[in-house]
Amino acid sequence: QVRLVESGGGLVQAGGSLRLSCVASGDTFARYSMGWFRQAPGKEREFVAAISWSGGSTHYADSVKGRFTISRDNVKNTVYLQMNSLKPDDTAVYYCAAKWFFRDIIVLDYDQWGQGTQVTVSS
């Protein structure tokens, strides 16, 4: 099992940028497919972005395509979410998620989660 800790959230004006980080520990980071999700107050959790364990494949929700970029550094055991052109609708708690899989592909049925980091975008 891997422990996930998110950081990098904060308050930013619309149009600004933030970079979120998720540091993994407690297990081998290699062969963990990773993802980012978010949940706004009173809303359901939604998928944001995903990346395979080599970083060779990525996938994004339509709402963030062209604005957000997911990446990972397996030496540092860290996955990132670069968020540009932020909108008030991006305001949410952002969660890092992981799933071990033997193939280097995108997986969405994550079973390990971080505690989240708050992102607030003002208008």
Side-chain angles (χ1 to χ4, degrees), residues 58-113:
T58 59
H59 181 63
Y60 298 91
D62 288 343
S63 60
V64 305
K65 285 181 180 178
R67 300 189 299 121
F68 291 11
T69 302
I70 188 170
S71 61
R72 67 191 294 163
D73 185 336
N74 288 344
V75 174
K76 297 181 178 180
N77 292 338
T78 303
V79 63
Y80 304 96
L81 185 68
Q82 177 67 47
M83 305 185 296
N84 298 327
S85 301
L86 284 162
K87 306 173 181 179
D89 286 347
D90 295 319
T91 296
V93 177
Y94 283 71
Y95 297 93
C96 180
K99 175 66 178 293
W100 187 93
F101 197 67
F102 71 97
R103 293 183 62 193
D104 186 22
I105 61 172
I106 296 291
V107 298
L108 298 178
D109 58 334
Y110 301 99
D111 57 10
Q112 300 180 62
W113 298 82

